[in-house]
Amino acid sequence: MKTENKYGVDERGFYGRFGGAYIPEMLYPNIEELRENYLRIIETPEFRKEFEGLLADYVGRPTPLYLAQRLSEHYGTTIYLKREDLNHTGAHKINNTIGQLLLAEKLGKKRIIAETGAGQHGVATATVCALRGLECVVYMGEVDMQRQAPNVARMKMLGATVVPATCGSKTLKDATNEALRDWINNPVDTHYIIGSVVGPHPYPDMVARFQSVISREIRRQLLEKSGKEVPDQVIACVGGGSNAMGAFYHFLDDESVKLIGVEAGGEGVDTGRSAATTVLGKDGIIHGSRSLLMQTDDGQIIEPHSVSAGLDYPGIGPQHAHLHETGRVQFVNITDQEAMEAGLLLSKLEGIIPAIESSHALAWLKKMEFTGRESIVISLSGRGDKDLQTYIDFFRL
Ligand SMILES: *Cc1c(COP(=O)(O)O)cnc(C)c1O
């Protein structure tokens, strides 16, 4: 199998010792079908044309690479924002759901399932199912459904069925179990859309390829705007790691480009209320692949905490675990407080209210030292409308 860069997946589905497909035997046929077909299908000119057409006309790509003048002056360097917040539905997630939906159609699937925690991936999935007229079932923890009622309403408006997961802690991992059970029972007509660079092989590679449009555009836009082939640094927040993987993808082999993944430190990595997986995690199996994950000594998942729902995940994608281990990507973390302040700063300096996830990437700027000659690209993964209540409560607006 052809990988596009030296940090890509090997033919066994691994990134170093991370990755693979650790799945119940009943899921083998589903995963095998995907693994055998995904590259062949997504590399055909017909698929590319359809994918790129929808990204252009439906999502609104290319998203701008915006030179943030006042933010740059504030920090004394040159900062570009990759505006994924301007995508239809307000974040990068739709790049992946469109890709997987088109792939599902080519595989003859009639029905889509997904699981969602905060609801963002559920909404992105329900959106593309409405677009193409496919049945959509989204599994969501009962507790999350109460916490994220507006996203439940959005999914329903879009025609999806939202099924509450009522077992265990009634949150994301319970929803994942329900979705897997559904897929085992419906292997022929159903495709399971996973929302980040996680899951059994080939999901992490497939999602990275769909999101890689972000760095393909950054390269071209930066050259047009500044005459530079590559930036000095690319900074992105990491939940599962899909916007980061998309923003890093076409720079992985340019070792001069410093890549920084920003995890959610929550209330601080030592407080027991954090989601900084590369600091707190150990080797383990999560979501069907070997990666780093936050767990107790006897392998129970430790509940993560972050002010931003999209970063509140106890693992990271296996490729990120590998990029961490090889040192190709530097992983850092930012607390809730620091992220919130960075979100407010961007709003006041640039008139852009960012998603709190993206605010984590922005907050890293404050920790850096600049000479004034760098060019920095930040992945602005999403917009802050969904987070307004959190901003209101935090700043007593
Ligand atoms: C879901 C989400 C994230 C985190 O997911 P990744 O897979 O790590 O990108 C980040 N930002 C926004 C706006 C999101 O909706």
Side-chain angles (χ1 to χ4, degrees):
M1 178 167 54
K2 176 167 101 225
T3 65
E4 291 189 354
N5 58 64
K6 84 177 211 215
Y7 297 96
V9 76
D10 68 21
E11 51 298 318
R12 295 160 41 249
F14 279 84
Y15 308 87
R17 70 170 192 280
F18 300 110
Y22 298 84
I23 50 172
E25 200 163 323
M26 309 254 283
L27 272 181
Y28 267 76
N30 311 40
I31 297 291
E32 264 307 290
E33 183 186 26
L34 260 191
R35 192 185 63 78
E36 282 173 2
N37 292 296
Y38 83 109
L39 275 185
R40 178 181 62 74
I41 292 173
I42 71 180
E43 283 176 355
T44 58
E46 183 200 348
F47 184 94
R48 293 234 65 91
K49 186 157 169 261
E50 220 171 337
F51 182 48
E52 281 157 22
L54 283 173
L55 288 181
D57 298 336
Y58 187 70
V59 176
R61 304 201 72 93
T63 58
L65 183 70
Y66 165 64
L67 170 56
Q69 205 95 46
R70 295 210 329 126
L71 190 70
S72 296
E73 274 164 31
H74 180 85
Y75 286 114
T77 190
T78 304
I79 300 164
Y80 294 91
L81 304 178
K82 182 56 173 165
R83 299 289 309 275
E84 294 302 296
D85 61 315
L86 294 178
N87 285 328
H88 177 49
T89 69
H92 64 291
K93 286 195 172 72
I94 195 157
N95 303 325
N96 168 49
T97 54
I98 287 197
Q100 285 197 49
L101 194 107
L102 292 179
L103 177 62
E105 285 179 352
K106 303 278 182 241
L107 291 171
K109 308 292 173 180
K110 302 278 179 266
R111 181 173 174 272
I112 298 294
I113 59 171
E115 99 276 336
T116 194
Q120 297 301 111
H121 172 59
V123 170
T125 302
T127 299
V128 296
C129 288
L131 172 71
R132 304 296 279 202
L134 264 69
E135 184 188 346
C136 181
V137 178
V138 180
Y139 291 91
M140 192 169 183
E142 203 170 36
V143 170
D144 289 334
M145 283 179 74
Q146 281 155 11
R147 286 196 289 218
Q148 310 288 342
N151 277 338
V152 175
R154 283 187 185 100
M155 288 184 264
K156 288 183 178 165
M157 272 193 84
L158 293 161
T161 307
V162 184
V163 180
T166 54
C167 293
S169 57
K170 304 182 175 55
T171 57
L172 183 63
K173 68 176 183 320
D174 312 295
T176 305
N177 290 339
E178 296 289 330
L180 287 173
R181 198 163 313 153
D182 180 316
W183 208 22
I184 288 170
N185 289 328
N186 299 284
V188 177
D189 71 335
T190 297
H191 174 68
Y192 179 17
I193 298 190
I194 292 182
S196 189
V197 284
V198 300
H201 178 66
Y203 278 98
D205 184 54
M206 179 170 70
V207 176
R209 285 170 188 262
F210 291 143
Q211 292 292 0
S212 71
V213 63
I214 299 173
S215 48
R216 190 173 321 120
E217 288 176 6
I218 293 172
R219 277 195 95 104
R220 197 191 69 229
Q221 292 167 320
L222 187 76
L223 187 62
E224 277 166 21
K225 281 179 196 297
S226 72
K228 290 190 184 181
E229 292 273 344
V230 294
D232 295 291
Q233 304 200 15
V234 181
I235 307 174
C237 66
V238 177
S242 69
N243 89 91
M245 215 48 242
F248 297 163
Y249 197 92
H250 291 286
F251 299 114
L252 284 170
D253 285 342
D254 295 286
E255 305 273 347
S256 72
V257 182
K258 192 165 176 191
L259 305 174
I260 299 179
V262 184
E263 294 188 300
E267 292 173 10
V269 291
D270 303 323
T271 62
R273 288 179 53 78
S274 178
T277 306
T278 57
V279 181
L280 300 169
K282 300 187 207 78
D283 282 39
I285 308 288
I286 180 167
H287 238 123
S289 69
R290 174 169 288 279
S291 189
L292 293 172
L293 97 119
M294 291 167 46
Q295 56 187 329
T296 60
D297 288 337
D298 57 356
Q300 297 297 316
I301 288 176
I302 296 172
E303 284 295 324
H305 163 81
S306 166
V307 65
S308 75
L311 303 185
D312 197 353
Y313 182 70
I316 47 170
Q319 189 169 15
H320 283 294
H322 179 59
L323 292 167
H324 168 64
E325 187 157 272
T326 55
R328 178 66 190 95
V329 174
Q330 181 192 355
F331 284 83
V332 298
N333 59 80
I334 283 296
T335 64
D336 292 349
Q337 174 86 30
E338 292 166 331
M340 296 302 282
E341 285 166 7
L344 188 61
L345 184 71
L346 187 75
S347 306
K348 293 207 188 298
L349 288 181
E350 296 288 348
I352 299 170
I353 301 176
I356 302 173
E357 291 87 353
S358 320
S359 297
H360 285 73
L362 292 160
W364 185 247
L365 290 166
K366 200 174 167 184
K367 311 258 173 170
M368 296 167 70
E369 284 180 18
F370 298 111
T371 65
R373 287 185 299 275
E374 311 77 0
S375 45
I376 313 286
V377 174
I378 309 252
S379 173
L380 202 73
S381 55
R383 61 176 172 241
D385 304 36
K386 69 182 177 61
D387 296 321
L388 204 59
Q389 194 59 50
T390 311
Y391 282 124
I392 289 169
D393 295 343
F394 193 88
F395 294 113
R396 301 175 203 280
L397 299 170

